[in-house]
Amino acid sequence: MKLRLFSSNGLVSDLTTSLVINNVAVQGFGSVKLANLFSLVGELGAKDTYTAGFVAATDQVILLEASKVNTVVIATGSFGSNNKRGKQRQNELLNQLKKADLISKVKWLVDGHGKPVHPLSSRKEWILKDESFD
């Protein structure tokens, strides 16, 4: 698997981030906190750290931030079901949200047919759905 590594400085955003921020405003949310399914909090370390795409501290930060918000939107599109490592990672995160009793906050970004979509595929209108896509 090849991972594209990005860093963020708070001033420059990619198209996905811009679309998320715009749609969050349209949905009436007051603010947004973003994390990729494979997020890495902190500096890049050993090769095995960033090839894994996350470290335990990353998940602790995600759970901490999830506990502070009203809604956790998962917008992985088909990656969470069609990619073996993506599916495994998505399930790990969902299980952690369940254990932390935060799963009721989870909503999925879906298309008009109820299938999960990525923000790049849902540029005009966001449909958020409560149910699971196991």
Side-chain angles (χ1 to χ4, degrees):
M1 169 174 46
K2 183 176 180 182
L3 295 174
R4 294 182 63 193
L5 303 175
F6 296 96
S7 63
S8 174
N9 66 10
L11 296 175
V12 177
S13 68
D14 61 5
L15 180 56
T16 300
T17 301
S18 296
L19 289 169
V20 169
I21 291 169
N22 291 343
N23 278 294
V24 162
V26 168
Q27 291 281 324
F29 292 101
S31 64
V32 64
K33 297 177 184 196
L34 302 170
N36 284 315
L37 192 56
F38 292 94
S39 290
L40 182 62
V41 175
E43 296 295 317
L44 292 177
K47 184 178 181 185
D48 60 337
T49 300
Y50 61 83
T51 56
F54 64 97
V55 293
T58 302
D59 288 348
Q60 291 171 354
V61 171
I62 291 172
L63 291 174
L64 176 66
E65 294 303 321
S67 72
K68 296 177 184 177
V69 299
N70 295 325
T71 306
V72 174
V73 176
I74 297 181
T76 56
S78 62
F79 181 74
S81 58
N82 293 341
N83 178 286
K84 182 179 178 181
R85 182 64 183 115
K87 185 174 188 165
Q88 178 185 0
R89 175 67 181 132
Q90 183 171 285
N91 287 337
E92 289 168 0
L93 188 57
L94 288 170
N95 286 332
Q96 289 183 39
L97 289 164
K98 286 177 190 174
K99 286 179 187 175
D101 200 27
L102 299 169
I103 199 70
S104 63
K105 294 182 176 191
V106 171
K107 294 192 182 289
W108 296 81
L109 181 62
V110 299
D111 64 14
H113 303 288
K115 295 189 181 233
V117 293
H118 185 275
L120 289 174
S121 300
S122 186
R123 295 180 186 212
K124 295 183 180 177
E125 178 186 17
W126 268 24
I127 303 169
L128 300 178
K129 196 170 187 177
D130 289 327
E131 59 190 69
S132 172
F133 289 98
D134 292 337

